[in-house]
Amino acid sequence: MRDLCAVAVAAATGAGAEYADARAVLRRSQHVSTKNGRVEQLVDTESEGIGVRVLVNGAWGFACDRRVSAAGAREAALRACAFAKAAGGHGPRALAPLEAHTGSFRTEVERDPFSVSLGAKVDECLRADEALNGPDVIVRQAAVRAQRDHKVLLSSEGTDVEHEIVECGGGIDCAASGNGVYQLRSYPSAQVGKSEQGGWEVVERLGLEREAPRVAEQASALLRADVCPAGVTTLVLDSDQAALQVHESVGHPTELDRVYGTEASYAGTSFLKPDDLGSLRYGSEHMNVTADPTTPGGLGTFAFDDEGVPAARQPIVEAGLLTGFLTSRETAARIGTGTGGSMRADGWNRMPLVRMTNLHLEPGDGSLEDLLADVDDGIYMETNKSWSIDDKRLNFQFGTQIAWEINGGKLGRMLRDATYTGITPEFWSKLDAVAGRDAWSMQGITNCGKGQPGQGAHVSHGAAPARFRDIQVGVKA
């Protein structure tokens, strides 16, 4: 793979590129799912190829080839240069300075997930599926997944880095129906479950079969629960929902390509402006958000991004003040600060984009019980169910699968169809407390969409339960 990347870079510079990089990627993916006691999906695929990105007279070009051969590498490089020339540049394009780096990264794995047979994975899902059986449950689903990427990146500036990244995860979902009401319940997170970097031990730690009876019981109980009342009240979010709130209302709007308007797909520019850096009050003094691609086990963990920038922890919001953006070398040079470090591509056949890595809401103090204890009257919401946010990432409405009233510092009656709304900086300004490190957990998201043609990024968010004052919950009449 390294030799092929070297061929591609040499061909690109020989064809007039002032900068070139080449990524060769070999990916293997497995996905197993069951539904109502039957195998729903069983996928085991491999993909390999090389992608070449070039700058010619300040214009970007990208091309790829599935042939893992010198001919494929050379032709991809020449096509990338031809595309850049056709685009028509206007002179040199500034990139943040970068020293040439060499190095490698390998996920620590206790048990290779690809050494576990597909039959064993099916059995894991079927046991969890069966354990979801219960009164009123009409749909039971379980899934596990694994992915391994072997990636080599070379650039014309001398960067030579290699990664072998292994992910694994899973989840369960069930639906209950009765009296004209339909409710969902999931574990450990909705729709895509939870994934981490690691091996089959990640799935074993989840305990899908163990958790299934509780999930089914709550799905059934939701059918008889009262609808979440509308009003302005204190809101406490569990770590899963707090993580999604960070993703949608902090992660995407701080991607600097969205800020500059060069990326707008998937509900997506940003309410932020470049000169908001260091001056915009994003939230309360309890709000601290960090981008950290060095977090062990994160789906956004690496040694170098797809431009060869070394991984480094970076504050994005400090005590409520916007202090950082997620950047590429190009956008970092344009804004005049930073080095990049957030560029990633979804495989060999996609051009790198500014993406979230691991974006965390830093913990505060205490436990979930401590957060609740200071609430006379409020709502506690758990596990995302729906999300909607405008194309500036400003106005939003989120819903959760389950909620409980908080009365006198304790959880009371269960509630269904819980929603809350807000405007991003106003909402975060009402952040009153974040629970401590012992309550902090990391959620892995595998369906973050961006770009045209579309790319799916795998990112992680760490969060602890968080408390917000004076939030509109429920649907106003």
Side-chain angles (χ1 to χ4, degrees), residues 60 93 251-265 268-274 325-332 334-335 342-344 351-356 391-392 449-452 455:
W60 287 108
R93 184 183 295 256
H252 280 308
T254 58
E255 294 167 342
L256 196 50
D257 55 347
R258 291 183 183 271
V259 174
Y260 280 122
T262 55
E263 169 62 41
S265 64
T269 53
S270 175
F271 71 94
L272 298 172
K273 303 182 295 297
F325 286 114
L326 304 173
T327 64
S328 62
R329 291 179 64 193
E330 179 182 355
T331 55
R334 184 171 177 180
I335 203 171
S342 297
M343 286 285 272
R344 294 196 291 157
M351 187 170 178
L353 300 172
V354 177
R355 303 308 300 259
M356 285 172 261
D391 60 0
K392 294 289 187 180
K450 187 175 179 181
Q452 292 178 334
Q455 300 191 35

Side-chain angles (χ1 to χ4, degrees), residues 25-105:
V25 183
L26 170 61
R27 170 175 292 174
R28 186 177 180 188
S29 299
Q30 285 185 346
H31 183 90
V32 175
S33 64
T34 61
K35 182 176 181 179
N36 291 346
R38 308 184 72 167
V39 175
E40 179 83 351
Q41 191 174 33
L42 197 157
V43 176
D44 188 356
T45 61
E46 285 193 354
S47 172
E48 61 183 0
I50 187 168
V52 185
R53 188 179 65 143
V54 302
L55 271 177
V56 180
N57 194 31
W60 287 108
F62 176 80
C64 56
D65 203 297
R66 67 175 64 252
R67 293 173 295 169
V68 184
S69 66
R74 189 176 299 108
E75 289 182 25
L78 296 179
R79 277 187 282 116
C81 289
F83 293 152
K85 291 173 183 176
H90 301 284
R93 184 183 295 256
L95 302 177
L98 178 65
E99 294 182 8
H101 291 280
T102 60
S104 62
F105 174 89

